[in-house]
Amino acid sequence: MNHYDAIIIGAGFSGLYQLHFLRENLGLNVKILETADNVGGTWFWNRYPGSRCDTESKAYTYYFSKELYEDWNWSERYPTQPEIEKYLNYVCDKLDLRKDIEFQTKVTDLIYDNERKTWTTLTNNKEKFSSKFIISAVGCLSYANMPVIPNKNKFQGEIYHTGDWPKIEPELANKNIGIIGTGSTGIQVIPEVAKLAKKLTVFQRTPNYSVPANNYKLTQNQKNQANIDFHKSKELMFQHRGGHPWTHSHISAKATEVTKRNALYEKAWANGGLSFRDTFSDLSIDADSNLTASQFIINKIKKIIKNPDTAAMLTDFDHPFGSKRPPIDTNYYETFNRKNVDLINIRKDPIKSFKTNGITTEKNDYELEVLIFATGFDALTGTLLNMNIIGDNNISLKNIWQTGPKTNLGLLVPNFPNLFLITGPGSPAVLTNMPRAIEQHVEWIGNCIKYMLKNDYDSIQTTVEAADDWTENVQEAVKDNFFLSAKHSWYLGGNIPGKPKIFIPYAGGLNKYREICDLVAQNDYRGCIFTKTT
Ligand code: N01
């Protein structure tokens, strides 16, 4: 059995930086185990047409090395999946990480031995590794949600999930295609597939408020400016609750005079992107203010869509703006004006089953050659709980998280010594620009391990009390936010049948969260117990 100081699971943004940090700063012997045949994580699997990041390229990138930042040139305001995949390969090669990654290796079991203070890792290839530390870098949106529709094996067409898209691009041209799902992914894939398909039928359960991305090619001047602004952007992201490079608004929408308010919305709409939700300070906590944003978006959608029935379906919202993760788009609404695109309301006419050449709803039949599921993920806990993780005293993670995840800071789990979670449940994670949350976690974990080595500690474990307190804190942080009113949202586990309905990420802001994590570290990792073998 091969022994390592640390095993990292996953070779996306988190795993790559964690490997680099532990190897270069602490001189540890580290191995990444990765299911895919190359690096990329979420950007390896989500290679569907139109896949692109909603965060701007100048911010959706590593900031731990200025050299790494300056030596890479993004070509568009929002990076495409192929470009991010290339970027992560560039990082991997530049930092010489590949030699410490084992690809096509899926971790199936993690078992802790308290006497030896060691983890054993088992894989699908029947390999066995031992290590002192395990660091989960499995990503938050890595376990695809595939709804169960009866008679799937009868269907003679092709089925794809956007989160597990084949490397060899499927032939979609001139086919009858269906897409289920109109979240951030559906909103990206629908306009691209519409251009290829003979006919595209979109099966919508819930409409989403989408704001234009306003993407553009970056000029050399813009690229140079991003390099000049490196430290300024880093500082802005550091201060922002979501880790984005802009400042928070301090103006209330409802307290702003209507003409001025509309002018500010128009400006934000024209600018495009995720900053629209920061136009005013109270959109996520005040119903009247929130209504001004939803009404503004509804008016915009109705102006774009030619068919009033389609417009009604696309604006039949059951949740306030921003309570689900707001998507941004390129020609999403315009796509529904195309002659080859139909929108079907499956809340009114639910899908019943597959048939040989399509699907059947309660009232209709749809002939399809291809069906694409853009149905999202079992977020934040799905991948973790699909491994068999056994901690101290034979405790299984699946059992103790039956009623919802319990962590200290989203980083540590009681009874699971020396297991660290990057962007785990209970951390700001998916509510942020992910690379900022990832860098903060990688550095906190790396510094914690450094502290352990310095003090000759061989294990760290959070107390149950500290994890209980933090879990309460996570619920407290979201109690005034509209996030709780979108009952089917994946933030709440509402998209997965049987999943506990509990708000999973920490909504108090990455800036505040970072301060809390720093304070815990400065106080000798308050809430954690260390052991030392003498
Ligand atoms: O997934 P979603 P996503 N029958 O869960 C529908 C990130 N992301 O992949 O709303 C019928 O948001 C579901 O309907 P409803 C981003 O954080 C980032 O789109 O539950 N329909 C919904 O319409 C994002 O939030 C980027 O009623 C079913 C859709 O499928 C996260 O990924 C790009 C169904 C799922 O929407 C997830 O987005 C894309 C069923 N049984 C995504 N089950 C970038 O920044 C689900 N649906 C690049």
Side-chain angles (χ1 to χ4, degrees):
M1 174 158 54
N2 293 322
H3 183 80
Y4 293 92
D5 295 318
I7 296 264
I8 298 168
I9 311 169
F13 265 97
S14 326
L16 294 180
Y17 181 32
Q18 190 72 74
L19 167 60
H20 175 69
F21 191 102
L22 295 181
R23 213 177 61 178
E24 300 310 309
N25 298 342
L26 308 185
L28 298 188
N29 181 20
V30 186
K31 179 68 120 188
I32 294 186
L33 302 178
E34 166 59 57
T35 308
D37 65 16
N38 205 343
V39 300
T42 199
W43 298 106
F44 177 92
W45 300 105
N46 285 268
R47 52 182 71 244
Y48 56 85
S51 176
R52 182 188 284 281
C53 187
D54 289 347
T55 297
E56 295 187 38
S57 51
K58 66 176 182 200
Y60 196 83
T61 178
Y62 289 122
Y63 266 72
F64 68 82
S65 155
K66 190 160 191 282
E67 186 194 338
L68 212 54
Y69 186 87
E70 286 180 344
D71 284 358
W72 181 261
N73 266 329
W74 294 105
S75 56
E76 295 179 65
R77 180 181 180 185
Y78 305 95
T80 58
Q81 176 274 328
E83 199 170 20
I84 305 174
E85 197 184 11
K86 264 194 213 133
Y87 168 73
L88 289 172
N89 274 279
Y90 145 80
V91 171
C92 181
D93 294 332
K94 181 135 179 154
L95 302 179
D96 195 19
L97 302 177
R98 214 173 280 281
K99 63 180 184 212
D100 291 321
I101 308 175
E102 184 170 312
F103 293 106
Q104 295 180 290
T105 303
K106 190 180 167 80
V107 171
T108 53
D109 302 71
L110 296 168
I111 298 150
Y112 189 67
D113 178 339
N114 193 24
E115 269 178 27
R116 290 169 51 235
K117 306 275 183 262
T118 300
W119 282 94
T120 299
T121 299
L122 306 180
T123 74
N124 62 333
N125 304 329
K126 308 273 178 262
E127 284 175 293
K128 216 174 184 182
F129 300 90
S130 72
S131 64
K132 185 161 174 179
F133 299 104
I134 295 285
I135 300 160
S136 162
V138 298
C140 301
L141 299 162
S142 46
Y143 195 83
N145 168 35
M146 194 63 163
V148 178
I149 300 176
N151 296 333
K152 186 175 170 191
N153 54 0
K154 280 197 184 156
F155 182 54
Q156 287 173 357
E158 300 151 62
I159 295 178
Y160 301 104
H161 191 289
T162 46
D164 189 13
W165 197 262
K167 251 183 149 177
I168 298 170
E169 188 58 34
E171 189 47 72
L172 301 177
N174 294 317
K175 290 193 174 157
N176 255 339
I177 301 175
I179 296 183
I180 304 180
T182 51
S184 301
T185 303
I187 279 170
Q188 288 186 334
V189 75
I190 286 164
E192 294 306 312
V193 171
K195 289 183 210 160
L196 301 169
K198 180 163 74 190
K199 183 168 167 53
L200 171 63
T201 309
V202 175
F203 298 94
Q204 173 191 272
R205 193 163 65 181
T206 315
N208 231 314
Y209 301 87
S210 186
V211 169
N214 187 15
N215 187 34
Y216 44 75
K217 295 253 185 263
L218 293 171
T219 62
Q220 194 53 50
N221 278 350
Q222 285 167 319
K223 292 177 197 177
N224 296 344
Q225 193 58 46
N227 288 343
I228 294 167
D229 290 344
F230 178 83
H231 293 294
K232 197 166 101 192
S233 303
K234 197 171 176 179
E235 186 54 31
L236 271 175
M237 292 188 279
F238 204 72
Q239 304 291 342
H240 189 269
R241 53 187 292 117
H244 288 286
W246 57 76
T247 49
H248 296 289
S249 164
H250 295 290
I251 319 169
S252 154
K254 72 175 180 195
T256 304
E257 186 274 321
V258 68
T259 316
K260 185 173 173 204
R261 184 170 66 215
N262 281 334
L264 287 171
Y265 277 137
E266 286 293 353
K267 191 171 164 210
W269 186 267
N271 179 49
L274 294 174
S275 60
F276 182 89
R277 63 187 166 179
D278 270 345
T279 314
F280 295 101
S281 60
D282 52 357
L283 297 182
S284 58
I285 49 170
D286 185 283
D288 293 336
S289 287
N290 186 283
L291 207 58
T292 66
S294 15
Q295 204 47 58
F296 179 86
I297 297 176
I298 289 170
N299 290 342
K300 287 285 184 194
I301 299 171
K302 287 188 170 164
K303 267 195 196 138
I304 300 170
I305 304 290
K306 291 185 183 140
N307 178 331
D309 293 337
T310 308
M313 263 193 268
L314 287 166
T315 52
D316 185 18
F317 296 113
D318 67 349
H319 57 286
F321 167 69
S323 57
K324 286 183 170 179
R325 200 273 207 173
I328 63 172
D329 71 275
T330 300
N331 294 329
Y332 176 62
Y333 294 113
E334 289 79 353
T335 297
F336 292 96
N337 290 333
R338 292 176 69 107
K339 286 205 172 69
N340 68 334
V341 177
D342 277 348
L343 180 65
I344 306 300
N345 183 342
I346 52 169
R347 196 169 290 288
K348 287 205 172 133
D349 183 15
I351 296 173
K352 238 173 56 187
S353 72
F354 277 103
K355 55 177 190 159
T356 47
N357 60 347
I359 57 172
T360 309
T361 60
E362 281 180 4
K363 297 180 191 149
N364 283 300
D365 276 345
Y366 297 92
E367 288 196 4
L368 302 171
E369 295 166 274
V370 179
L371 182 57
I372 297 171
F373 287 84
T375 44
F377 303 89
D378 182 348
L380 287 137
T381 56
T383 304
L384 283 169
L385 293 179
N386 272 281
M387 291 184 279
N388 177 38
I389 308 183
I390 307 293
D392 211 0
N393 299 318
N394 232 0
I395 288 175
S396 129
L397 192 67
K398 253 182 219 133
N399 282 346
I400 59 157
W401 280 9
Q402 258 175 20
T403 52
K406 263 192 190 169
T407 65
N408 187 0
L409 299 169
L411 280 157
L412 295 159
V413 188
N415 295 304
F416 292 80
N418 292 0
L419 168 70
F420 294 96
L421 310 178
I422 303 181
T423 62
S427 76
V430 290
L431 302 179
T432 70
N433 166 21
M434 289 301 290
R436 292 297 72 71
I438 286 168
E439 285 181 340
Q440 187 253 335
H441 267 187
V442 164
E443 288 161 18
W444 193 93
I445 293 167
N447 288 327
C448 178
I449 293 178
K450 187 174 172 189
Y451 173 88
M452 288 178 69
L453 297 176
K454 190 174 138 216
N455 289 289
D456 284 330
Y457 291 140
D458 54 13
S459 80
I460 175 175
Q461 185 177 175
T462 172
T463 62
V464 173
E465 293 73 31
D468 283 348
D469 281 357
W470 182 251
T471 305
E472 244 181 81
N473 225 319
V474 171
Q475 297 313 312
E476 180 66 24
V478 75
K479 74 175 191 332
D480 296 327
N481 195 299
F482 290 141
F483 283 141
L484 296 181
S485 51
K487 299 289 176 222
H488 302 291
S489 132
W490 57 264
Y491 290 154
L492 275 158
N495 62 334
I496 304 293
K499 189 165 174 169
K501 304 295 172 264
I502 202 160
F503 194 77
I504 312 174
Y506 172 69
L510 181 61
N511 46 354
K512 182 171 169 197
Y513 173 81
R514 180 186 292 105
E515 284 172 15
I516 297 170
C517 289
D518 287 351
L519 214 62
V520 168
Q522 282 154 24
N523 284 286
D524 293 320
Y525 298 89
R526 192 178 51 205
C528 298
I529 299 166
F530 293 95
T531 61
K532 190 181 227 173
T533 315
T534 46

